[in-house]
Structure formats: structure tokens, C-alpha cells
Amino acid sequence: MITVLAGGTGSIKIIRGFASGPEGAEIRIVSNVGDNIWLHGLYVCPDIDTVLYGLAGILSERGWGIKGDTFSCLAQMEKLGEEIWFKLGDRDLATHLLRTSLRRKGRTLTEITDWMRKKYSVSEKIYPATDSNLETIIITEQGPMHIQEFWVKHQGNPRLTSIQYNGAEDATANPELIESLKNSDMIILAPANPITSITPILMVKEIKEQLKILRNKVLAISPLIGEQAISGPAIEYMKAMKLVNSALGVANFYSDIVGNFVIDLRDSPLSSKIGHLDMNIFQTDIIMRNSSDEKRLSSYIMGLNI
Ligand code: FO1
């Protein structure tokens, strides 16, 4: 069994790769919830939905929302004076409406996500990192703002000073998620933004503690090649957190929980320094341009003897 800790658009590729792997390999996903946001009275969980739609084969090329979706409802809301900086598609809205209605009936996010993935015919279990409220808040010179406001509404422009994970102190993990980590042959940290995708998951103390214990089975895929993120704004956030922007910086950041690290062939000069962090280093082409790359990288990882 493989459990993947995942964020949004960067993580779904490797998840799809594992999911298309050999018959019988069980894949489970632990999803970031720090990006979840209340909008127009609806509870939106972007990273859970990217995994859900990705595995259901209906994810838009953008990496979020549903393929071919339309935005009529949003356009109508705009006419009625609503701010519509977050593009919720008409079909995507069905997910948020039903999720919110189930939440109002007292169901936990874990229960709702499990119900939802079955409705979308997704066989892989998807666990929200926590059912508690945990929000990634970006502290900027213009004041604190939710990560979606910072990145989507303000397009990452306000000068960023630090990052907070509100609610992390009291966040607890679903016991089934912890059991899943314990029973996994490998735990994968997807090539996702370490600060805003993976850290909110690690802020759930029971998850972090378990990963420390299971360090030899934990494998991270670098989200960076050279000094560039493969996708998304990882570098901006890493700089704000004073991390070295390279695979070495990421390895250092994960060193207490990760015993195995996959870097790109172009980063091989970093391998001896990463090795000093007491990690097994593996080098391969880590870019996933299409589904055959997703399969290639996931089979490479499944074939590793860790
Ligand atoms: N990202 C954007 O850059 N602009 C959007 O308007 C936007 C809408 C959106 C709607 C539903 C959804 O599930 C995700 C959406 N995202 C949008 C992606 C999201 O902001 C981030 O990419 C993830 O939170 C990062 O993992």
C-alpha cells in the first residue's frame, strides 16, 4: 500500500501515475486542507477536489475545476454585485453545494470526502489531513490574508512576510488516516509546494509524529529542479520562510521525516550534500509532461528498494 501526501495541481500527476499502476496496488491520499475556503456560503476544498476530479478523469487542463465547465452561475452572481475573484464553475458548484449541505447536517469532512469519492467512482481513499479547521494564512505588508486571497485575488503581489497555519495547534488526525500511514509500504510526499501544500498536513501533530517514526519508509519527490519550481509559486513561499531554493533546501526542510529523496538528474551535483542528511538519494527524470511520464515516474518509485 502506498499513501501519498498531496497538495493540489502539482500532486495529482504522481497520484494518477500510482493509481494507474499494477492491479492490486492500493493507493491512499492524504490531502492538504489549508487552502479550504468559505465562499458565497459554500465550503470549497480545492486540493481535495483536484485529487477527486483528477482520479475521476474529469480534471480541467488548468489543474483545478472540472474539464469543459461553464461559469454562468458566477456571471449571474457578478450581475448581482458579488465579488467573483475565485472561478467556481457550474458543475464544480454541485460538489461545493452538496459538501456544504452535508457539513451543515453535521457530517465530518472525512465522511463527506469518502461519500463524494464514491459518487465520483474513485476507488482510492482520500483523507483530509484533519477534520479540524486549519487555514493557511499569508502575512503580508497589507495585513494577513487567506492563501486563496493572497494568490488568486491579489495574484501573489502583496509583499509576503511570513506564513501561519491557523488552527494547527488543536488539529487532530482521523485515526484511520494514522493506521493507513502505519500500514503503508511507502509514504510519498508528492512534488508539491513544501510550505503551502505539505506543511499544513505536517502541522497536524499526530501525522508529523508518525512520519518521524516511519522515516525510513517516507520518500519525497523534489518539487524543484535547479532553482526553479516545476510548477506553481513554491520559490516565493520558500524564500519567505528563508529556505535555500533548491532540492537541497527542500531535503533539509524535510530531513526529520524523510529517509528517501528523489531528485532530478540535473540536480545530481547536490546528491552528496543531500546524502549528508542521512537520506537515500535517487536520481531520475522527475518532470511529468503527460500520462506516460506519470506512469514512468511512479513505476520507478514503486521499483525502489527502500
Ligand atoms: N486558482 C486560480 O488561480 N484561480 C481561480 O479562479 C481558481 C478557482 C478554483 C476553483 C475551484 C478549485 O477547486 C480551485 C481553484 N483554483 C483557482 C486553484 C486553487 O486556488 C489552488 O491552485 C490550490 O488551492 C493550490 O493547491
Side-chain angles (χ1 to χ4, degrees):
M1 183 165 86
I2 295 183
T3 301
V4 184
L5 271 54
T9 54
S11 308
I12 185 60
K13 297 178 179 181
I14 194 69
I15 293 173
R16 273 193 307 237
F18 285 127
S20 66
E23 204 58 25
E26 195 182 332
I27 313 301
R28 295 187 175 190
I29 298 104
V30 176
S31 173
N32 174 33
V33 295
D35 288 28
N36 294 1
I37 185 165
W38 283 94
L39 287 167
H40 321 294
L42 299 176
Y43 193 55
V44 182
C45 302
D47 288 0
I48 292 178
D49 292 346
T50 291
V51 173
L52 204 56
Y53 298 156
L55 289 174
I58 56 168
L59 183 66
S60 143
E61 286 298 313
R62 290 183 302 259
W64 51 266
I66 296 181
K67 211 188 279 185
D69 212 348
T70 49
F71 295 87
S72 308
C73 180
L74 212 66
Q76 190 64 20
M77 285 204 278
E78 189 174 29
K79 283 189 189 155
L80 297 173
E82 188 79 345
E83 269 196 82
I84 54 138
W85 52 270
F86 204 70
K87 304 276 177 280
L88 298 172
D90 296 327
R91 280 179 245 170
D92 189 23
L93 276 164
T95 303
H96 313 313
L97 280 165
L98 292 180
R99 173 187 291 127
T100 309
S101 139
L102 289 170
R103 259 193 78 130
R104 295 217 161 102
K105 287 181 184 148
R107 307 274 293 273
T108 65
L109 189 58
T110 299
E111 288 167 347
I112 299 167
T113 306
D114 202 47
W115 176 85
M116 196 75 88
R117 63 114 188 149
K118 287 179 190 153
K119 289 286 173 193
Y120 278 106
S121 304
V122 168
S123 53
E124 293 76 15
K125 283 211 157 208
I126 306 169
Y127 298 112
T130 178
D131 285 328
S132 318
N133 288 323
L134 193 163
E135 269 186 345
T136 304
I137 301 294
I138 310 294
I139 313 298
T140 75
E141 284 185 347
Q142 294 175 23
M145 48 186 88
H146 187 282
I147 183 168
Q148 301 292 2
E149 270 189 290
F150 172 74
W151 189 249
V152 181
K153 185 174 183 185
H154 298 288
Q155 314 209 308
N157 286 325
R159 228 179 73 79
L160 185 167
T161 53
S162 64
I163 298 173
Q164 271 173 217
Y165 305 93
N166 285 6
E169 271 303 301
D170 304 318
T172 53
N174 175 339
E176 200 183 314
L177 181 169
I178 299 295
E179 265 323 286
S180 179
L181 293 176
K182 287 184 188 163
N183 295 332
S184 293
D185 301 296
M186 265 193 205
I187 300 160
I188 309 290
L189 268 54
N193 187 322
I195 307 297
T196 59
S197 293
I198 303 294
T199 298
I201 304 177
L202 302 177
M203 292 306 289
V204 181
K205 286 186 217 71
E206 297 148 285
I207 299 184
K208 176 113 187 218
E209 285 316 308
Q210 206 46 241
L211 294 181
K212 280 186 186 167
I213 298 168
L214 300 170
R215 186 180 182 274
N216 289 345
K217 292 201 291 184
V218 182
L219 178 146
I221 306 161
S222 176
L224 266 54
I225 300 179
E227 295 187 346
Q228 299 298 319
I230 296 172
S231 68
I235 297 294
E236 286 80 349
Y237 293 118
M238 285 179 68
K239 280 186 186 157
M241 300 306 275
K242 313 257 180 305
L243 298 187
V244 175
N245 56 325
S246 69
L248 177 61
V250 178
N252 212 358
F253 183 65
Y254 287 150
S255 57
D256 56 343
I257 53 162
V258 167
N260 307 277
F261 200 72
V262 180
I263 60 172
D264 193 77
L265 291 166
R266 281 158 279 188
D267 275 335
S268 61
L270 297 176
S271 58
S272 67
K273 281 193 180 155
I274 298 177
H276 288 139
L277 298 168
D278 187 27
M279 283 180 187
N280 299 317
I281 311 297
F282 303 98
Q283 301 172 37
T284 187
D285 173 6
I286 61 171
I287 296 197
M288 292 173 280
R289 303 159 196 88
N290 49 41
S291 61
S292 54
D293 281 342
E294 293 171 2
K295 284 185 192 151
R296 172 190 46 77
L297 185 56
S298 57
S299 358
Y300 170 82
I301 291 171
M302 285 201 217
L304 293 175
N305 194 11
I306 67 168

